């Protein structure tokens, strides 16, 4: 099977970083704060803030720019690249965030 709405799925997931962090870290962790502790390292002082309408969080201490896929790689040990990113990470995040995936067969052009 093939994800037929792949680019739409990626675009939708990119905007869900705040929702993902809320699910993984609790409802009060980062949604309403301008700065919050980075969940990717032992952050003693708030060093992370959202940029780009919540698509990216910037850790000013150690991690740099973090999107939902990098966060999922670190927090859930999901693949960050390669075919496993498409076959494992995208479906897992879509399921977790209740985003529909459209499956179909590869077209001759896709093959």
């Amino acid at each position: 099977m093939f994800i037929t709405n792949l680019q739409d799925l990626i675009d939708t997931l990119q905007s869900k970083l705040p929702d993902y962090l809320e699910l993984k870290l609790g409802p009060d962790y980062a949604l309403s704060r301008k700065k919050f502790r980075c969940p990717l390292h032992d952050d003693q002082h708030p060093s992370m803030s959202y940029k780009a309408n919540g698509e990216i969080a910037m850790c000013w201490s150690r991690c740099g720019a973090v999107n939902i896929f990098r966060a999922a790689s670190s927090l859930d040990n999901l693949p960050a690249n390669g075919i496993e990113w498409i076959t494992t990470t995208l479906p897992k995040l879509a399921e977790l965030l209740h985003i529909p995936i459209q499956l179909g067969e590869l077209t001759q052009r896709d093959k």
Side-chain angles (χ1 to χ4, degrees):
M1 288 305 238
F2 176 73
I3 300 174
T4 60
N5 65 330
L6 184 61
Q7 190 58 55
D8 289 340
L9 178 60
I10 293 168
D11 293 343
T12 300
L13 285 171
Q14 287 186 112
S15 69
K16 299 295 185 181
L17 176 61
D19 299 326
Y20 174 74
L21 291 178
E22 179 183 10
L23 284 171
K24 299 309 295 179
L25 305 170
D28 297 326
Y29 189 79
L31 285 182
S32 63
R33 299 182 186 170
K34 290 183 180 184
K35 279 188 148 183
F36 51 96
R37 288 180 296 108
C38 177
L40 306 185
H41 64 91
D42 185 23
D43 194 2
Q44 299 301 314
H45 304 284
S47 66
M48 185 170 260
S49 60
Y50 288 118
K51 298 182 108 12
N53 297 327
E55 289 185 13
I56 297 172
M58 188 72 182
C59 174
W60 301 99
S61 173
R62 179 186 295 177
C63 302
V66 175
N67 65 16
I68 190 170
F69 307 117
R70 183 163 175 214
S73 176
S74 181
L75 296 175
D76 281 328
N77 201 29
L78 291 171
N81 53 42
I83 192 69
E84 294 84 12
W85 180 74
I86 295 171
T87 61
T88 304
T89 302
L90 295 180
K92 176 72 174 175
L93 288 173
E95 177 185 353
L96 185 66
L97 296 166
H98 308 290
I99 299 168
I101 295 179
Q102 297 170 3
L103 298 175
E105 296 297 323
L106 289 173
T107 65
Q108 233 8 65
R109 182 178 162 206
D110 293 330
K111 289 178 185 178

